[in-house]
Amino acid sequence: MRRLVALFLSLALASCVTVGRMEAPGGLPDPTAKVEGFPKEVRIVNPDHDSFLRILNETVIKSRPGARDGTLDVLALSGGGAGGGFGAGVVAGLTAAGRRPVFEVVTGVSTGALIAPFAFLGPDWDDDLERAYTGGRSEDLARTAGVSSLFRLGVLDAAELRGLVSDFVTPEMIEAVARESAGGRTLLVATTNLDAEIPVLWDMGVIARKGGAEAQKLFTDVLVASASIPGVFAPVIFRVDGQDGPNDELHVDGGVSVPFFIFPDVAFLSDDRFSVLRGANIYVVINGQLDPFVRTAEANAVTIAIRALNVTLTRMARTEILLTSSFAKLHGMNMRFTYIPRRYDFSGSFDFDAGRMRSLFDYARSCAATRKVWLTEADVRKHIAAPFTPPAGTAGCPVP
């Protein structure tokens, strides 16, 4: 609690800090704006119905031939801070179980964005994924920037987050992602454009195929931006060139606008039946807890603010699961999902203690390895749509 109080006070004191940047143009978001040196296909910005249909068909058409089992498999990884140890453990546990699909499409938000490249590249990268979440480096993320935090856009030292990401975004990773992308697979990461107040989906494969230092830098910038909790870590500024000329976009945590994603929001509003998706498998990993339960909220500003934020993010995730489940059923897809159950003593998304991160990783890996991690569409009503009181007792896997 002391750490959270210090964080809250630092946020209040740093609220007057600004940064020099080019102003964003007013009006509607510009879907044609390009990052210098990269094609416009590097990202998906506020697509309309026709644009979504084109993107969907292109993605499925290029993915199908590479599907080793003939089925399109999609993995979506949510945000959740330190809860990312759960998603990392699930990925590693699927390998141990010998039941890990070759995901043709992988999407990630926030901490899920950091897991996504490893999940995309396959079992050969599991050791690196484990080190990223259990090697102790994550503890440095909770280190404040000291007095200098009062003169920054984030009260925690963004250099630690960037250093963690830079350690694993190596030339070898860029080359591997480029190779898989060229073979038809898709890796997408969401950030939030704070100026336009919309999610932006970045095609990391298109970035990687650029190659060299430019690709490595933008790849890193996108992952850092996706994990940059507003006010906690500094946002990332992207210089783009649009219809009104060059301008700067301020990007923060993708979880601000979307907890996880399979498709852009416009997909849920379409009356079309997407026959190309029939038979596809959707796997959703929520790096947090979703079960509602009662516990006394202390009557102080810090606790109230934190609990309110947690309610917002949890409700967003629950709603997105309901939408995704309905979408999957409508289009003949198979949906599986998982999350940290109430029975597990999860200490929260800001607790980056190395020991607790290791415990969460090991727990999730064990559940996945013993095939007790995936809930199905039939479980949505019991776990998400209606109040659910989990059985008492020691921590058990999501699937009893």
Side-chain angles (χ1 to χ4, degrees):
M1 178 58 71
R2 289 180 180 176
R3 177 177 291 175
L4 292 176
V5 171
L7 180 63
F8 184 83
L9 292 175
S10 296
L11 282 168
L13 291 171
S15 61
C16 61
V17 178
T18 59
V19 64
R21 51 167 294 201
M22 295 179 66
E23 289 190 8
L28 297 175
D30 180 2
T32 68
K34 298 193 302 182
V35 177
E36 184 178 357
F38 291 84
K40 65 181 180 63
E41 290 77 19
V42 80
R43 58 191 206 157
I44 302 169
V45 179
N46 204 35
D48 58 20
H49 179 264
D50 290 342
S51 296
F52 166 70
L53 289 181
R54 176 181 53 77
I55 294 166
L56 173 65
N57 283 298
E58 288 176 354
T59 300
V60 174
I61 287 171
K62 74 178 183 179
S63 297
R64 289 283 190 190
R68 299 179 187 178
D69 58 0
T71 303
L72 181 67
D73 295 298
V74 182
L75 173 66
L77 298 152
S78 85
F86 177 76
V90 168
V91 170
L94 293 176
T95 301
R99 297 176 65 89
R100 177 171 169 178
V102 177
F103 298 107
E104 283 72 46
V105 179
V106 177
T107 73
V109 175
S110 195
T111 192
L114 305 186
I115 300 169
F118 299 106
F120 181 72
L121 292 177
D124 289 346
W125 292 76
D126 281 0
D127 289 345
D128 293 319
L129 173 60
E130 182 174 354
R131 280 194 295 272
Y133 275 88
T134 67
R137 181 71 185 272
S138 58
E139 284 190 331
D140 295 334
L141 295 179
R143 180 184 302 162
T144 69
V147 175
S148 63
S149 68
L150 304 182
F151 308 99
R152 299 185 182 191
L153 295 181
V155 298
L156 298 187
D157 193 350
E160 296 294 343
L161 175 59
R162 182 168 291 275
L164 174 63
V165 175
S166 297
D167 278 353
F168 67 75
V169 180
T170 60
E172 291 75 20
M173 174 176 277
I174 298 298
E175 291 171 7
V177 170
R179 185 167 56 250
E180 294 299 323
S181 174
R185 298 174 64 217
T186 302
L187 173 62
L188 299 174
V189 164
T191 62
T192 298
N193 180 337
L194 207 55
D195 298 310
E197 301 179 351
I198 58 170
V200 173
L201 311 184
W202 299 79
D203 191 323
M204 308 301 280
V206 174
I207 295 174
R209 295 205 304 269
K210 169 80 172 181
E214 268 190 291
Q216 189 173 355
K217 181 181 184 304
L218 183 57
F219 199 101
T220 300
D221 285 347
V222 171
L223 294 183
V224 171
S226 186
S228 292
I229 304 166
V232 177
F233 294 108
V236 175
I237 297 176
F238 293 95
R239 176 66 55 85
V240 301
D241 194 2
Q243 296 175 350
D244 296 318
N247 65 87
D248 291 337
E249 294 178 353
L250 205 65
H251 285 243
V252 297
D253 192 334
V256 169
S257 54
V258 60
F260 68 87
F261 68 97
I262 302 293
F263 305 109
D265 289 345
V266 68
F268 300 125
L269 303 176
S270 176
D271 293 325
D272 294 349
R273 295 295 181 269
F274 305 128
S275 58
V276 295
L277 293 177
R278 183 164 296 279
N281 297 314
I282 294 176
Y283 300 84
V284 178
V285 177
I286 302 296
N287 292 302
Q289 293 177 315
L290 297 179
D291 296 322
F293 59 97
V294 178
R295 54 180 176 172
T296 302
E298 296 178 29
N300 63 69
V302 176
T303 301
I304 291 171
I306 292 170
R307 286 290 294 276
L309 175 61
N310 183 66
V311 169
T312 299
L313 296 178
T314 299
R315 297 306 300 182
M316 284 176 61
R318 291 171 66 89
T319 299
E320 196 73 15
I321 286 179
L322 291 172
L323 287 171
T324 303
S325 174
S326 297
F327 184 90
K329 187 174 182 179
L330 181 65
H331 298 290
M333 306 172 75
N334 307 303
M335 177 183 167
R336 299 171 180 84
F337 71 102
T338 189
Y339 63 98
I340 305 173
R342 174 70 183 92
R343 295 187 300 275
Y344 185 87
D345 186 20
F346 179 51
S347 51
S349 58
F350 283 99
D351 189 351
F352 292 98
D353 175 79
R356 282 187 280 274
M357 293 280 285
R358 162 56 73 180
S359 295
L360 181 58
F361 177 92
D362 289 343
Y363 160 77
R365 179 169 57 184
S366 175
C367 290
T370 54
R371 305 180 186 181
K372 294 183 177 181
V373 73
W374 293 122
L375 300 163
T376 67
E377 188 180 326
D379 296 306
V380 171
R381 180 178 298 276
K382 179 173 68 173
H383 289 253
I384 306 299
F388 171 66
T389 303
T394 57
C397 292
V399 178

